[in-house]
Amino acid sequence: MRYGLLSDIHGNLEALDAVLEAMAGERIGHYLCLGDIVGYGASPNACLDRVTGLTTDVIAGNHDHAAIGKLDISTFNPYAAEAALWTRQQLTPDGRRYLGDLPYVRRIDDLFVVHASPARPEEWTYLTSPWQADEAFEAMPDGVALCALGHTHAPLIFEKPNAKDRSRQIPPTALELASERRYIVNVGSVGQPRDGDPRAAYCVYDTEMKLIEVKRVPYDLEAAQRKIRKAGLPDLLAERLELGR
Ligand code: ZN
């Protein structure tokens, strides 16, 4: 099986369509969406339509909850809060219900998916350090070799060699999974990358080859920026797309 993993679309339809086009040539057998379909970008409803047409294996992100009032946005920065309120006005009743019903985690065979961290998924912590990875590996269900997540918008891999050794961070390149080890892979962001590379990110997990790879694809960034400005969303949300920050 080849899984197609996408996360943090954030209402960026241009990036999502470029990723879906690239993934169409990847022999993907099953798609999974790791949350934050909406928030920041100007096309929340169109992105929701694309995702619901693609897969039922979708989990909640913090911006999905913020957009329906399920998460308090007082901790959001002013730009994120403004975008959340704008998105709230755009969503259809069906869209709101759909986002509100999404689970925090899913398990498909030996693959576990969560938006932020397997350790207390509903707290939306940023998993960026080996000690946080240790805690996350502890929280992963038995028999799960790989956890895929998003949330930070930057691809990242943690490896746990065995039960007693600490987690270590390894470069987010194509990786062959060793059968006795466990892994956490951050698949990056489709619609708002923050690792300095403005290209949209997606991930392919091939269970036969035991290979996981985060890939990048360019998209019509100017079109996404124009829509953000036309919608009256904060200009910074358009600017950051070309910076990949
Ligand atoms: Zn996000």
Side-chain angles (χ1 to χ4, degrees):
M1 170 67 79
R2 281 169 67 81
Y3 289 105
L5 304 160
L6 47 165
S7 189
D8 296 274
I9 296 162
H10 283 290
N12 187 338
L13 184 65
E14 289 67 31
L16 177 58
D17 278 345
V19 160
L20 294 180
E21 202 186 317
M23 285 177 126
E26 292 272 12
R27 297 177 291 113
I28 301 295
H30 193 71
Y31 288 89
L32 294 112
C33 177
L34 312 188
D36 279 6
I37 301 168
V38 304
Y40 295 129
S43 308
N45 291 321
C47 287
L48 262 175
D49 285 347
R50 292 280 197 284
V51 169
T52 52
L54 195 65
T55 180
T56 52
D57 278 320
V58 182
I59 52 170
N62 53 321
H63 285 262
D64 302 320
H65 280 182
I68 56 165
K70 200 170 170 178
L71 175 70
D72 178 14
I73 58 169
S74 63
T75 58
F76 273 27
N77 70 53
Y79 311 103
E82 194 178 332
L85 294 175
W86 180 88
T87 303
R88 201 174 288 179
Q89 289 167 349
Q90 307 297 315
L91 289 172
T92 63
D94 278 352
R96 270 195 290 274
R97 213 171 305 124
Y98 175 82
L99 292 176
D101 288 342
L102 291 176
Y104 284 97
V105 300
R106 270 191 191 282
R107 179 180 176 173
I108 296 124
D109 302 324
D110 66 343
L111 174 65
F112 188 74
V113 294
V114 60
H115 183 65
S117 172
R120 302 175 305 282
E122 70 290 348
E123 290 181 15
W124 313 111
T125 46
Y126 287 95
L127 203 174
T128 54
S129 68
W131 69 264
Q132 286 172 309
D134 278 337
E135 194 187 29
F137 279 116
E138 282 284 305
M140 271 161 63
D142 287 342
V144 166
L146 174 66
C147 171
L149 44 78
H151 194 44
T152 67
H153 300 203
L156 189 75
I157 301 176
F158 286 106
E159 177 186 68
K160 179 103 167 130
N162 52 52
K164 65 177 192 340
D165 283 330
R166 305 290 306 272
S167 309
R168 58 175 178 245
Q169 193 177 332
I170 54 177
T173 51
L175 178 76
E176 211 175 311
L177 307 180
S179 53
E180 69 280 10
R181 300 181 180 183
R182 303 176 98 190
Y183 298 89
I184 292 170
V185 175
N186 188 314
V187 304
S189 169
V190 172
Q192 196 197 73
R194 293 180 194 158
D195 60 343
D197 182 347
R199 294 175 302 165
Y202 67 96
C203 179
V204 178
Y205 171 40
D206 187 315
T207 58
E208 266 144 56
M209 310 267 288
K210 287 273 166 206
L211 193 73
I212 189 146
E213 192 171 3
V214 177
K215 302 188 173 195
R216 305 303 281 258
V217 62
Y219 71 96
D220 190 351
L221 205 141
E222 285 88 8
Q225 290 177 314
R226 273 197 301 277
K227 280 193 195 167
I228 286 173
R229 291 180 171 124
K230 198 170 164 217
L233 285 158
D235 201 61
L236 183 122
L237 298 179
E239 283 166 33
R240 68 187 300 176
L241 291 182
E242 68 191 66
L243 304 172
R245 289 285 171 209

